[in-house]
Amino acid sequence: MLDRRRFLLTTAAGAGLAATTGGAVFAQAANGADAALTTVMDGITRDHLLSSPELLTMLGMDKGPGAAMKSRLDDRSLAKQAADKTKFLASMTALKGIDREALSPRFKVYHDTVEFFGETAVQGYDFPYGGGLFPSPYTVSQLGGAYQSTPDFLDSQHSIETAEDAEAYLSRLSALATVFDQETERVKAEFAAGAVPPDFVIQRATGQMQTILGADPAGLTLVTSVARRAAEKGLPGAWGERALAIVNGSVLPALARQRDTLAAGLPTASHDAGCWRLPDGDAYYNYGLKFYTTSSLTGQEIHDMGLQQVAELSARADVLLRAQGLTQGTVGERIASIASHVPGQVYPNTDAAKEQLLADLNAQMSTVMARMPEYFGRLPNAACDIRRVPKEIEVGAPGGYYQSPSLDGSRPGAYYINLRDTAEWPKFTLPTLTYHEAVPGHHFQIALQQEKTETPLLLKVLGFSAYTEGWGLYAEQLADEIGMYENDPWGRIGSIQSLMFRAARLVVDSGLHYKRWSREQGIRYMVETLGDQESSITTEVERYAVWPGQASSYKVGHTTWVRLREQAKATLGDRFDIKGFHDTGLDAGGVPLTVLERVIGDWVASRRG
């Protein structure tokens, strides 16, 4: 899963940023139509990318011309949202005026990618709730909101090398109270529009907020991060004391106001998980499916696909389980028994054991990385770290997610694993997580996208879940195909379980939002089908409730990647080149699946010629 905030930065920064990143910020036009498209993309980049201080920091572009942005957080106000909408609609109007057929081949890919994103994003602006550009009906939830993202953002992405960096940290910390209040106003507006989150979402989110509010403020990451890192750099100053004063004086009171506002919706909140209960909720789910899967699949088609693939994968798992002597019970029950059936499958739930788990994952990543030159012509320059999800948010956070490297190479990529309970991660499940999140999964796809110098910044940052998550699952399959489980039968079962898990997501995502399943029905289906712990499955199902359609993107994307490869093999025969297929698909960057099909089709045609 990706944890990328994919949107956008001021005109004056453009030329300097190009020098800072060593790559193109804006596209280089080859003809008049290309120039017109470049103008549109430049406008979106300036209005949405280069105006986001947090994105600048994530990309490593908060230095030099962008240094002033390092002391700010993103504006999350309703007024900013309305202004963004006006600018975005104007950009889409300009895009419609471009003659696509007059574009050069590379710019046709850019055009079709921006067009698809624009068309779906405009649909999102039609709803009186949610964030506008990305489908989630609720600004604040157990997975969304600054209380979730900002502490880790400041700790892991706001660099501190100088006293000015530490001062910028404190400025951002001061701005956090304003951000909380801006989000709170959006929550009130969503409530007024009829978009009150389900009761379990409110309870989970307010519980996480209360954990922060009830902790010793001096021990919060918001306080300790600047103090620790300033001391490591030998920067004199009372950084911790100043941070603590800001947190106590304005940040925590603003968070308490947000908690109280969210909690005020609980008495009237529904327990229904699906967005069908919202105003125009069925249309919202269709919008979410289109945005995340980049397809026209309906809720029923998603549901049927999921049931079919769960059945196929369960049959494969059954064969593997029987080969290991596990013959009694359902597939899910037998998978669930592996942790207790096989000695040493579960790490102790201690900090020391969790550090060992991370070390083991790093060793595994090095092993698979050594095989990659056999299958890829281009390899990422950026390294990838494996980190633990911060303890303060691990209760409601996903099981794992990837964070992209900075564009300037100052920060590596990273994948985070949630270690709230090691029982949720038996050893047989861990290899496939590394192949999905790191090598050759998200890290390869995202780092290579960012490191392609001729690609304009907008296309480096823009991404589509079906493409990226589909690639993550394809990477899992590729690892099996190249022999990474040759002497690891339990790991191979884990890889099949991972695919079953994503197929079950199709069933439950459409179940909640299309078939009007309850939260409990979704949890029961996944526990019985997969054999996973109910605690981790509960977090999963609650995630689907706040991100309608996103859970379906994985298997839709995976199915497309595999289909395109097999079609290319069948067409090209001995002219098929696996390195060429991978390089071509990844060189396209994060694109809709319809665009990927055209890119691969052009590659196949060129190989035939």
Side-chain angles (χ1 to χ4, degrees):
M1 169 188 159
L2 293 179
D3 182 47
R4 290 189 295 157
R5 303 178 65 183
R6 289 278 199 202
F7 237 62
L8 312 211
L9 315 186
T10 66
T11 309
L17 289 172
T20 300
T21 64
V25 174
F26 306 120
Q28 300 300 311
N31 59 45
D34 288 1
L37 179 56
T38 297
T39 298
V40 172
M41 291 192 294
D42 289 358
I44 296 174
T45 300
R46 286 190 299 267
D47 293 340
H48 301 283
L49 289 177
L50 299 171
S51 65
S52 168
E54 293 173 39
L55 183 57
L56 278 168
T57 291
M58 291 177 192
L59 297 175
M61 298 167 71
D62 57 358
K63 308 171 181 68
M69 302 289 264
K70 192 168 183 174
S71 61
R72 308 175 195 171
L73 294 176
D74 287 355
D75 185 344
R76 292 168 170 82
S77 66
L78 287 168
K80 178 65 161 55
Q81 187 178 358
D84 285 346
K85 175 182 177 180
T86 298
K87 293 175 182 177
F88 194 76
L89 291 175
S91 294
M92 291 306 102
T93 299
L95 184 68
K96 291 182 184 298
I98 295 173
D99 180 4
R100 181 189 181 279
E101 296 309 309
L103 294 168
S104 61
R106 180 164 61 98
F107 274 73
K108 285 180 179 177
V109 173
Y110 299 163
H111 174 278
D112 295 349
T113 300
V114 175
E115 180 182 53
F116 184 93
F117 177 75
E119 287 179 350
T120 50
V122 166
Q123 285 182 290
Y125 279 128
D126 289 338
F127 296 94
Y129 47 83
L133 285 175
F134 297 94
S136 179
Y138 320 113
T139 295
V140 178
S141 69
Q142 83 280 18
L143 295 176
Y147 85 96
Q148 270 275 340
S149 61
T150 303
D152 182 52
F153 164 76
L154 288 175
D155 184 48
S156 66
Q157 301 193 50
H158 180 106
S159 61
I160 295 181
E161 300 290 337
T162 67
E164 289 75 15
D165 293 336
E167 289 289 353
Y169 181 106
L170 296 180
S171 294
R172 278 180 155 164
L173 192 58
S174 296
L176 183 55
T178 299
V179 167
F180 283 153
D181 287 337
Q182 289 171 341
E183 289 181 334
T184 300
E185 287 305 306
R186 288 172 60 167
V187 169
K188 292 176 180 177
E190 288 166 355
F191 282 12
V196 178
D199 55 8
F200 57 86
V201 169
I202 295 177
Q203 290 165 344
R204 181 81 75 175
T206 55
Q208 291 174 171
M209 293 176 184
Q210 187 54 47
T211 296
I212 298 171
L213 292 166
D216 176 6
L220 292 175
T221 299
L222 289 171
V223 175
T224 61
S225 177
V226 65
R228 182 192 76 251
R229 293 189 291 148
E232 289 171 353
K233 296 297 180 180
L235 305 177
W239 304 109
E241 291 84 347
R242 292 173 64 191
L244 180 61
I246 294 168
V247 166
N248 281 328
S250 60
V251 174
L252 293 181
L255 180 59
R257 291 192 291 273
Q258 187 170 100
R259 176 206 56 194
D260 294 345
T261 297
L262 202 57
L266 190 57
T268 58
S270 170
H271 191 64
D272 293 319
C275 64
W276 54 265
R277 62 185 175 75
L278 302 176
D280 294 322
D282 290 333
Y284 196 87
Y285 183 50
N286 289 335
Y287 152 61
L289 280 181
K290 181 179 179 182
F291 185 94
Y292 285 122
T293 71
T294 64
S295 76
S296 58
L297 291 170
T298 66
Q300 186 63 56
E301 289 170 329
I302 291 287
H303 200 75
D304 292 343
M305 177 189 294
L307 292 172
Q308 177 186 349
Q309 294 198 11
V310 166
E312 293 171 352
L313 291 162
S314 295
R316 290 174 59 188
D318 178 56
V319 173
L320 296 173
L321 290 162
R322 289 181 181 278
Q324 297 304 314
L326 296 180
T327 60
Q328 302 300 312
T330 66
V331 166
E333 289 168 345
R334 281 178 279 164
I335 290 175
S337 74
I338 293 175
S340 56
H341 175 81
V342 182
Q345 275 290 320
V346 178
Y347 289 87
N349 200 34
T350 65
D351 284 337
K354 291 172 183 178
E355 288 301 316
Q356 183 61 51
L357 185 156
L358 294 175
D360 292 345
L361 290 181
N362 275 293
Q364 176 207 347
M365 185 169 64
S366 296
T367 299
V368 70
M369 187 66 193
R371 296 288 309 280
M372 291 302 96
E374 302 171 44
Y375 300 95
F376 295 84
R378 290 181 63 219
L379 300 175
N381 295 319
C384 182
D385 292 343
I386 303 176
R387 302 172 185 167
R388 179 178 177 178
V389 170
K391 293 181 181 181
E392 292 163 48
I393 63 170
E394 65 185 8
V395 172
Y401 53 84
Y402 175 76
Q403 174 184 287
S404 62
S406 61
L407 288 180
D408 66 353
S410 63
R411 188 188 68 248
Y415 98 69
Y416 286 78
I417 180 170
N418 194 325
L419 297 180
R420 61 192 161 209
D421 183 355
T422 54
E424 294 180 1
W425 289 112
K427 291 182 181 179
F428 78 96
T429 68
L430 288 171
T432 192
L433 179 70
T434 296
Y435 305 141
H436 181 106
E437 300 292 349
V439 178
H442 287 325
H443 178 62
F444 263 48
Q445 186 261 310
I446 299 302
L448 288 172
Q449 179 182 354
Q450 292 186 350
E451 291 169 8
K452 192 176 179 186
T453 56
E454 68 269 26
T455 301
L457 179 61
L458 178 60
L459 275 295
K460 288 178 183 284
V461 176
L462 199 59
F464 296 87
S465 189
Y467 176 97
T468 53
E469 299 299 356
W471 173 261
L473 286 188
Y474 174 81
E476 295 180 24
Q477 177 177 322
L478 180 65
D480 187 11
E481 291 170 341
I482 67 175
M484 299 311 298
Y485 298 110
E486 189 172 341
N487 299 308
D488 184 11
W490 298 114
R492 177 170 281 116
I493 292 171
S495 73
I496 299 299
Q497 186 208 30
S498 173
L499 295 177
M500 285 174 58
F501 175 54
R502 276 36 179 261
R505 279 177 165 176
L506 294 170
V507 178
V508 177
D509 181 57
S510 56
L512 296 178
H513 299 293
Y514 176 73
K515 290 188 169 291
R516 305 191 176 192
W517 283 14
S518 68
R519 165 184 175 272
E520 288 70 26
Q521 188 175 356
I523 293 170
R524 185 169 63 252
Y525 172 83
M526 292 192 79
V527 169
E528 292 174 355
T529 300
L530 304 171
D532 283 352
Q533 284 203 336
E534 187 169 330
S535 61
S536 61
I537 290 299
T538 298
T539 300
E540 278 293 318
V541 173
E542 291 179 351
R543 164 186 165 182
Y544 311 156
V546 300
W547 291 345
Q550 196 273 341
S552 292
S553 64
Y554 294 70
K555 214 60 180 67
V556 172
H558 173 232
T559 301
T560 300
W561 273 104
V562 174
R563 173 174 57 81
L564 292 175
R565 187 186 69 176
E566 295 312 303
Q567 287 176 345
K569 280 184 176 181
T571 301
L572 294 175
D574 59 6
R575 293 188 182 186
F576 178 80
D577 170 29
I578 190 65
K579 287 186 180 182
F581 174 79
H582 291 156
D583 291 349
T584 299
L586 294 182
D587 277 353
V591 296
L593 296 179
T594 49
V595 177
L596 178 64
E597 293 204 32
R598 287 196 286 273
V599 169
I600 296 297
D602 290 343
W603 174 75
V604 170
S606 70
R607 295 288 291 179
R608 291 181 71 182

